[in-house]
């Protein structure tokens, strides 16, 4: 039986289940960055698998629906100030 502490095993399970992981870093006085694993990139239709976290964020933000952009930017600004923020946004999935 495989050990759930084995990162390669966990990664293969998540990939087989089509379950992508991502992380957004938001720091004060810095632009936000998004990190997606390969599965998340595939699911979300990102073509450039070697994009930097800055480029991924720009692409992701560009897909936020027009009527959700202000909400998204306000939420990110709050997080940059060290506050908690949660927002429901509409995102244009390319697939």
């Amino acid at each position: 039986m495989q050990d759930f502490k084995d990162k390669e095993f966990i990664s293969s399970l998540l990939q087989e289940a089509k379950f992508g992981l991502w992380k957004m870093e938001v720091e004060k006085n810095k632009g936000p960055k998004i990190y997606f694993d390969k599965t998340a990139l595939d699911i979300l239709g990102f073509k450039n698998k070697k994009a930097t976290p800055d480029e991924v964020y720009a692409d992701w933000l560009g897909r936020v629906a027009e009527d959700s952009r202000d909400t998204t930017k306000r939420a990110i600004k709050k997080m940059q100030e060290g506050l908690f923020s949660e927002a429901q946004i509409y995102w244009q999935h390319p697939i």
Side-chain angles (χ1 to χ4, degrees), residues 4 8 13 20 39 49 51 54 61 70 72 80 85 89 94-95:
F4 282 102
E8 286 184 34
L13 284 177
T39 304
K49 306 294 191 231
D54 296 311
L61 185 62
D70 287 340
T72 303
Q80 286 174 318
S85 184
I89 62 168
I95 298 176

Side-chain angles (χ1 to χ4, degrees), residues 46 48 50-60:
F46 286 92
N48 183 0
K50 295 186 181 195
T52 67
D54 296 311
E55 293 168 332
V56 172
Y57 173 78
D59 193 353
W60 175 85

Side-chain angles (χ1 to χ4, degrees), residues 4-23:
F4 282 102
K5 293 180 183 176
D6 180 350
K7 289 181 182 181
E8 286 184 34
F9 175 66
I10 297 297
S11 180
S12 69
L13 284 177
L14 293 171
Q15 193 168 10
E16 287 176 36
K18 303 270 190 264
F19 190 92
L21 299 175
W22 63 279
K23 172 186 175 183

Side-chain angles (χ1 to χ4, degrees), residues 69-81:
R69 288 205 180 132
D70 287 340
T71 300
T72 303
K73 289 177 182 179
R74 278 193 306 272
I76 290 169
K77 187 173 182 345
K78 283 178 76 175
M79 290 185 286
Q80 286 174 318
E81 295 168 356

